[in-house]
Amino acid sequence: MKLHSVGLTLFLTASLWLPAHAQDKGMVNPQPLPPLANPNDPKNPAKELFGRKLTPSSMQARAIGFYAKGCLGGGIALPINGKTWQVMRLSRNRNWGHPDLVKTLERLADKGPKLGWAGLLVGDMAQPRGGPMRTGHTSHQVGLDADIWLTPMPPRQLTVLEREEMSATNVVAADKRDVDTKIWTLQHHAIIKAAAEDPGVERIIVNAAIKKAMCREAVGTNRYWLRKVRPWYGHNYHFHIRIACPKDSPDCKPQDPTPESDGCNDLAYWFQDKIINAVPPKDPKPWTGPTLADLPAACRQVLLAP
Ligand SMILES: [Zn+2]
């Protein structure tokens, strides 16, 4: 199996052993993080700096750097309640993104009712100023990535507690070789397909079993959009959408384009025993991530801006 770019390889490899966390519960009133002992120490991991910023930087919106190594200037929030979406795990304060991402999510959510879902449950986007996160992701740093639950939005407003404690839905069968046909529906397919057909969306990441099911179900139709639906570990409770570098962001580093092929004949790799039953190392070394100096220089201004 080919991995298609160094950037993608980095993003995917680094995210391999980090828990997905989409389904992990949160708390309604989380304790604020204690201040850093030495906030100006250049050795501080950038995740500790960006993880303590509760508001966006006041500047023009721009995505800076690469999806897995950068930050977000002038981020805006996806409102926590829309007609066709609700934000989950509010305690994480990760419903921030570049305005293009917010528009893309609103556009996709709006299609939900036509496709059989009342709307979308939106998981992690980015922190208010983007940057590396203390938990859960190596990408999601520049405000162009978002996780969408594989659970339709219920036709009522969820309570704050439900948004912390409700679990997303695992659509993959216990043997991991296919979707669970009692749970997976054509509406799941339709929502992911609609996301892939959105011109702004560059990639969608799903569990390999989901890709396998979608390849099977898309027989006989135009399959070109399937090239954007990329198999990876995890992603059985949520799918991940990634949009292209925005025009207003000259410092945004694009990914290599997806291959032209639909990728449906390249799935065998994912169903080998050693891959499907890969066990995370017992005591994974905690991910320290980059320091501020490792990130693009403009991220320092993003961090220091009012
Ligand atoms: Zn994600």
Side-chain angles (χ1 to χ4, degrees):
M1 133 81 227
K2 295 169 272 171
L3 278 172
H4 303 285
S5 75
V6 175
L8 177 66
T9 309
L10 261 178
F11 150 59
L12 294 172
T13 312
S15 56
L16 173 53
W17 300 120
L18 287 175
H21 283 306
Q23 66 281 14
D24 290 357
K25 290 183 185 180
M27 277 194 308
V28 171
N29 287 309
Q31 287 291 314
L33 291 170
L36 287 170
N38 298 303
N40 297 320
D41 184 344
K43 290 202 220 57
N44 283 330
K47 64 179 180 178
E48 298 294 344
L49 306 171
F50 283 93
R52 282 170 171 74
K53 290 293 180 185
L54 305 180
T55 56
S57 61
S58 149
M59 54 173 69
Q60 224 190 312
R62 58 194 183 123
I64 300 161
F66 189 62
Y67 298 88
K69 196 177 190 180
C71 61
L72 167 68
I76 62 168
L78 177 71
I80 62 170
N81 293 309
K83 234 166 121 186
T84 50
W85 73 85
Q86 296 182 46
V87 173
M88 303 301 284
R89 303 296 191 261
L90 301 175
S91 61
R92 298 185 187 179
N93 193 27
R94 290 179 179 172
N95 56 318
W96 298 86
H98 185 279
D100 283 10
L101 179 65
V102 171
K103 271 186 239 137
T104 303
L105 289 169
E106 293 181 356
R107 197 162 57 227
L108 180 61
D110 194 43
K111 292 187 181 140
K114 287 166 223 131
L115 303 173
W117 277 18
L120 304 180
L121 297 179
V122 180
D124 285 358
M125 296 162 57
Q127 302 177 125
R129 302 185 189 205
M133 293 183 184
R134 299 177 73 252
T135 56
H137 308 273
T138 48
S139 67
H140 289 253
Q141 293 191 24
V142 290
L144 306 177
D145 294 290
D147 291 342
I148 297 174
W149 283 26
L150 288 163
T151 310
M153 186 185 89
R156 65 179 176 87
Q157 198 170 306
L158 294 167
T159 65
V160 174
L161 185 65
E162 283 174 314
R163 293 183 202 219
E164 298 299 334
E165 300 205 330
M166 197 177 133
S167 177
T169 312
N170 177 8
V171 298
V172 172
D175 71 3
K176 302 180 192 164
R177 294 187 182 275
D178 211 321
V179 292
D180 182 335
T181 51
K182 292 191 293 300
I183 295 171
W184 175 257
T185 62
L186 290 176
Q187 286 76 38
H188 286 98
H189 179 114
I191 294 283
I192 296 174
K193 180 179 183 216
E197 287 178 333
D198 187 296
V201 171
E202 272 196 340
R203 269 170 208 271
I204 293 171
I205 300 178
V206 296
N207 188 275
I210 296 177
K211 171 91 186 196
K212 180 178 170 182
M214 294 187 74
C215 286
R216 184 170 62 225
E217 292 160 359
V219 165
T221 63
N222 169 11
R223 299 162 65 87
Y224 190 57
W225 56 272
L226 267 169
R227 78 193 187 286
K228 291 192 196 170
V229 181
R230 314 292 302 162
W232 196 246
Y233 298 90
H235 296 86
N236 49 335
Y237 287 88
H238 73 270
F239 66 99
H240 174 127
I241 70 170
R242 171 167 293 176
I243 66 165
C245 278
K247 288 199 179 71
D248 61 16
S249 301
D251 298 334
C252 178
K253 197 169 157 237
Q255 278 201 262
D256 289 350
T258 53
E260 288 293 296
S261 125
D262 63 27
C264 291
N265 294 324
D266 305 334
L267 293 173
Y269 170 89
W270 293 101
F271 298 103
Q272 304 169 86
D273 279 335
K274 65 171 184 199
I275 299 298
I276 218 168
N277 295 317
V279 184
K282 258 232 167 77
D283 190 13
K285 244 175 113 194
W287 180 71
T288 315
T291 63
L292 188 54
D294 296 328
L295 296 178
C299 290
R300 191 176 292 275
Q301 283 120 54
V302 168
L303 196 71
L304 295 177

PDB file of all heavy atoms in Angstrom, residues 11 124 137 139-140 145-147 235 238-241, ligand 1:
ATOM      1  N   PHE A  11       1.219  12.801   9.383  1.00  0.00           N
ATOM      2  CA  PHE A  11      -0.047  13.028  10.079  1.00  0.00           C
ATOM      3  C   PHE A  11      -0.616  11.695  10.527  1.00  0.00           C
ATOM      4  O   PHE A  11      -1.020  11.513  11.657  1.00  0.00           O
ATOM      5  CB  PHE A  11      -1.013  13.772   9.150  1.00  0.00           C
ATOM      6  CG  PHE A  11      -2.467  13.477   9.390  1.00  0.00           C
ATOM      7  CD1 PHE A  11      -3.036  13.732  10.627  1.00  0.00           C
ATOM      8  CD2 PHE A  11      -3.259  12.942   8.387  1.00  0.00           C
ATOM      9  CE1 PHE A  11      -4.374  13.459  10.860  1.00  0.00           C
ATOM     10  CE2 PHE A  11      -4.588  12.667   8.618  1.00  0.00           C
ATOM     11  CZ  PHE A  11      -5.152  12.919   9.850  1.00  0.00           C
ATOM     12  N   ASP A 124     -14.685  17.409  17.564  1.00  0.00           N
ATOM     13  CA  ASP A 124     -13.574  18.352  17.616  1.00  0.00           C
ATOM     14  C   ASP A 124     -13.322  19.025  16.273  1.00  0.00           C
ATOM     15  O   ASP A 124     -13.243  18.370  15.237  1.00  0.00           O
ATOM     16  CB  ASP A 124     -12.281  17.628  18.027  1.00  0.00           C
ATOM     17  CG  ASP A 124     -12.259  17.295  19.512  1.00  0.00           C
ATOM     18  OD1 ASP A 124     -13.220  17.656  20.224  1.00  0.00           O
ATOM     19  OD2 ASP A 124     -11.261  16.687  19.952  1.00  0.00           O
ATOM     20  N   HIS A 137      -5.405  14.506  19.288  1.00  0.00           N
ATOM     21  CA  HIS A 137      -5.143  14.642  17.851  1.00  0.00           C
ATOM     22  C   HIS A 137      -3.714  15.117  17.624  1.00  0.00           C
ATOM     23  O   HIS A 137      -3.181  15.850  18.440  1.00  0.00           O
ATOM     24  CB  HIS A 137      -6.036  15.702  17.201  1.00  0.00           C
ATOM     25  CG  HIS A 137      -7.486  15.526  17.469  1.00  0.00           C
ATOM     26  ND1 HIS A 137      -8.287  14.729  16.696  1.00  0.00           N
ATOM     27  CD2 HIS A 137      -8.290  16.048  18.422  1.00  0.00           C
ATOM     28  CE1 HIS A 137      -9.529  14.765  17.169  1.00  0.00           C
ATOM     29  NE2 HIS A 137      -9.558  15.562  18.214  1.00  0.00           N
ATOM     30  N   SER A 139      -3.357  16.231  14.197  1.00  0.00           N
ATOM     31  CA  SER A 139      -3.751  17.257  13.222  1.00  0.00           C
ATOM     32  C   SER A 139      -4.757  18.198  13.897  1.00  0.00           C
ATOM     33  O   SER A 139      -4.620  18.491  15.077  1.00  0.00           O
ATOM     34  CB  SER A 139      -4.289  16.613  11.947  1.00  0.00           C
ATOM     35  OG  SER A 139      -5.495  15.942  12.169  1.00  0.00           O
ATOM     36  N   HIS A 140      -5.706  18.738  13.157  1.00  0.00           N
ATOM     37  CA  HIS A 140      -6.676  19.701  13.719  1.00  0.00           C
ATOM     38  C   HIS A 140      -5.959  20.971  14.205  1.00  0.00           C
ATOM     39  O   HIS A 140      -6.443  21.631  15.126  1.00  0.00           O
ATOM     40  CB  HIS A 140      -7.459  19.098  14.902  1.00  0.00           C
ATOM     41  CG  HIS A 140      -8.458  18.026  14.551  1.00  0.00           C
ATOM     42  ND1 HIS A 140      -9.813  18.212  14.579  1.00  0.00           N
ATOM     43  CD2 HIS A 140      -8.284  16.740  14.167  1.00  0.00           C
ATOM     44  CE1 HIS A 140     -10.435  17.087  14.245  1.00  0.00           C
ATOM     45  NE2 HIS A 140      -9.522  16.174  13.985  1.00  0.00           N
ATOM     46  N   ASP A 145      -9.734  21.142   9.901  1.00  0.00           N
ATOM     47  CA  ASP A 145     -10.152  19.755  10.138  1.00  0.00           C
ATOM     48  C   ASP A 145     -11.353  19.728  11.087  1.00  0.00           C
ATOM     49  O   ASP A 145     -11.422  20.540  12.012  1.00  0.00           O
ATOM     50  CB  ASP A 145      -9.030  18.958  10.835  1.00  0.00           C
ATOM     51  CG  ASP A 145      -7.795  18.773   9.980  1.00  0.00           C
ATOM     52  OD1 ASP A 145      -7.859  18.015   9.008  1.00  0.00           O
ATOM     53  OD2 ASP A 145      -6.749  19.391  10.300  1.00  0.00           O
ATOM     54  N   ALA A 146     -12.244  18.779  10.872  1.00  0.00           N
ATOM     55  CA  ALA A 146     -13.378  18.615  11.797  1.00  0.00           C
ATOM     56  C   ALA A 146     -13.794  17.156  11.860  1.00  0.00           C
ATOM     57  O   ALA A 146     -13.716  16.434  10.863  1.00  0.00           O
ATOM     58  CB  ALA A 146     -14.569  19.457  11.346  1.00  0.00           C
ATOM     59  N   ASP A 147     -14.232  16.736  13.041  1.00  0.00           N
ATOM     60  CA  ASP A 147     -14.762  15.391  13.235  1.00  0.00           C
ATOM     61  C   ASP A 147     -16.284  15.455  13.303  1.00  0.00           C
ATOM     62  O   ASP A 147     -16.839  16.303  14.004  1.00  0.00           O
ATOM     63  CB  ASP A 147     -14.242  14.794  14.550  1.00  0.00           C
ATOM     64  CG  ASP A 147     -12.757  14.485  14.488  1.00  0.00           C
ATOM     65  OD1 ASP A 147     -12.209  14.396  13.375  1.00  0.00           O
ATOM     66  OD2 ASP A 147     -12.143  14.326  15.570  1.00  0.00           O
ATOM     67  N   HIS A 235     -11.505   5.974  13.608  1.00  0.00           N
ATOM     68  CA  HIS A 235     -12.524   6.582  12.741  1.00  0.00           C
ATOM     69  C   HIS A 235     -13.704   5.653  12.516  1.00  0.00           C
ATOM     70  O   HIS A 235     -14.265   5.601  11.422  1.00  0.00           O
ATOM     71  CB  HIS A 235     -11.888   7.064  11.422  1.00  0.00           C
ATOM     72  CG  HIS A 235     -10.881   8.147  11.654  1.00  0.00           C
ATOM     73  ND1 HIS A 235      -9.569   7.881  11.948  1.00  0.00           N
ATOM     74  CD2 HIS A 235     -11.000   9.494  11.698  1.00  0.00           C
ATOM     75  CE1 HIS A 235      -8.923   9.012  12.153  1.00  0.00           C
ATOM     76  NE2 HIS A 235      -9.758  10.003  12.021  1.00  0.00           N
ATOM     77  N   HIS A 238     -16.503   8.268  14.369  1.00  0.00           N
ATOM     78  CA  HIS A 238     -16.674   9.561  13.710  1.00  0.00           C
ATOM     79  C   HIS A 238     -15.927   9.515  12.390  1.00  0.00           C
ATOM     80  O   HIS A 238     -15.079   8.649  12.187  1.00  0.00           O
ATOM     81  CB  HIS A 238     -16.121  10.701  14.575  1.00  0.00           C
ATOM     82  CG  HIS A 238     -14.619  10.754  14.643  1.00  0.00           C
ATOM     83  ND1 HIS A 238     -13.888  10.075  15.605  1.00  0.00           N
ATOM     84  CD2 HIS A 238     -13.698  11.377  13.866  1.00  0.00           C
ATOM     85  CE1 HIS A 238     -12.606  10.286  15.415  1.00  0.00           C
ATOM     86  NE2 HIS A 238     -12.446  11.068  14.357  1.00  0.00           N
ATOM     87  N   PHE A 239     -16.252  10.419  11.486  1.00  0.00           N
ATOM     88  CA  PHE A 239     -15.396  10.603  10.316  1.00  0.00           C
ATOM     89  C   PHE A 239     -14.788  11.992  10.383  1.00  0.00           C
ATOM     90  O   PHE A 239     -15.288  12.866  11.093  1.00  0.00           O
ATOM     91  CB  PHE A 239     -16.130  10.309   9.004  1.00  0.00           C
ATOM     92  CG  PHE A 239     -17.254  11.247   8.639  1.00  0.00           C
ATOM     93  CD1 PHE A 239     -17.061  12.277   7.733  1.00  0.00           C
ATOM     94  CD2 PHE A 239     -18.524  11.076   9.184  1.00  0.00           C
ATOM     95  CE1 PHE A 239     -18.100  13.135   7.369  1.00  0.00           C
ATOM     96  CE2 PHE A 239     -19.574  11.928   8.835  1.00  0.00           C
ATOM     97  CZ  PHE A 239     -19.364  12.958   7.926  1.00  0.00           C
ATOM     98  N   HIS A 240     -13.692  12.143   9.672  1.00  0.00           N
ATOM     99  CA  HIS A 240     -12.892  13.366   9.766  1.00  0.00           C
ATOM    100  C   HIS A 240     -12.922  14.045   8.395  1.00  0.00           C
ATOM    101  O   HIS A 240     -12.648  13.388   7.397  1.00  0.00           O
ATOM    102  CB  HIS A 240     -11.474  12.940  10.163  1.00  0.00           C
ATOM    103  CG  HIS A 240     -10.445  14.027  10.180  1.00  0.00           C
ATOM    104  ND1 HIS A 240      -9.644  14.271  11.275  1.00  0.00           N
ATOM    105  CD2 HIS A 240     -10.064  14.919   9.240  1.00  0.00           C
ATOM    106  CE1 HIS A 240      -8.818  15.276  10.999  1.00  0.00           C
ATOM    107  NE2 HIS A 240      -9.053  15.685   9.769  1.00  0.00           N
ATOM    108  N   ILE A 241     -13.286  15.310   8.368  1.00  0.00           N
ATOM    109  CA  ILE A 241     -13.202  16.014   7.084  1.00  0.00           C
ATOM    110  C   ILE A 241     -12.081  17.046   7.136  1.00  0.00           C
ATOM    111  O   ILE A 241     -11.830  17.675   8.169  1.00  0.00           O
ATOM    112  CB  ILE A 241     -14.528  16.684   6.647  1.00  0.00           C
ATOM    113  CG1 ILE A 241     -14.879  17.879   7.507  1.00  0.00           C
ATOM    114  CG2 ILE A 241     -15.683  15.699   6.645  1.00  0.00           C
ATOM    115  CD1 ILE A 241     -16.036  18.659   6.919  1.00  0.00           C
TER     116      ILE A 241
HETATM  117 ZN    ZN B   1     -10.193  14.181  13.334  1.00  0.00          ZN
END
